[in-house]
């Protein structure tokens, strides 16, 4: 299935999802490095019609994973294709969203993560979605195909990603030391 994504924020000067995600973590954690360390990308193996998908790993716990969504958020949304992949070795399947360019796939995975983060942190939850999929309000990110899960586990065992769970949170404006400590304690209590 090939679909041309529609613009959701046409005419606005909105940063791309990877830049928004980078800013999100830099605003919250001291000494946060590049968001690029937390993306794993895959291609479809077809040299004649190469497509890419990507997975973003939540750096606060290293376990929550966000696959590409159907990105519709910046006014110049790229076209995508979808396929069904084996979920976990059972009869179930998971839809995978593929893009022509690796960078578009990474932006789509970042957009999926941002939608879920914004839903969890909004009160009441109202924000412009970046992907057409419904965001999840739990720490359980959308399921990934089994082959992606296995490849990510292999890559992470060879070269672990830097998890930021032990880093201190960045104080927010007008926040007392006690509030910073409370937020840090709350964040650590939610780690697996």
């Amino acid at each position: 299935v090939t679909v041309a994504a529609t613009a959701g924020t046409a005419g606005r000067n909105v940063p791309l999802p990877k830049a928004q995600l980078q800013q999100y973590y830099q605003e919250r954690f001291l000494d946060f490095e590049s968001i690029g360390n937390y993306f794993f990308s895959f291609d479809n193996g077809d040299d004649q019609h190469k497509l890419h998908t990507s997975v973003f790993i939540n750096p606060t716990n290293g376990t929550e994973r966000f696959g590409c969504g159907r990105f519709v958020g910046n006014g110049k949304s790229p076209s995508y294709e979808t396929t069904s992949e084996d979920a976990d070795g059972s009869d179930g399947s998971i839809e995978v969203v593929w893009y022509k360019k690796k960078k578009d796939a990474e932006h789509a995975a970042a957009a999926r993560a941002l939608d879920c983060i914004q839903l969890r942190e909004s009160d009441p939850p109202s924000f412009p979605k970046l992907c057409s999929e419904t965001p999840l309000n739990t720490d359980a990110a959308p399921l990934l195909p089994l082959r992606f899960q296995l490849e990510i586990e292999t890559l992470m065992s060879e070269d672990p990603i830097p998890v930021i769970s032990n880093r201190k949170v960045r104080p927010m404006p007008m926040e007392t030391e006690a509030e910073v400590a409370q937020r840090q304690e709350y964040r650590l209590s939610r780690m697996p």
Side-chain angles (χ1 to χ4, degrees), residues 149-183:
Q149 292 178 45
L150 295 175
E151 190 167 336
I152 289 170
E153 291 303 323
T154 301
L155 292 169
M156 286 177 63
S157 68
E158 295 168 359
D159 186 20
I161 63 168
V163 176
I164 60 175
S165 62
N166 60 346
R167 295 202 179 156
K168 294 190 176 193
V169 296
R170 182 178 300 278
M172 304 299 268
M174 306 299 287
E175 191 173 42
T176 67
E177 285 186 37
E179 290 169 327
V180 172
Q182 181 181 13
R183 194 160 47 93

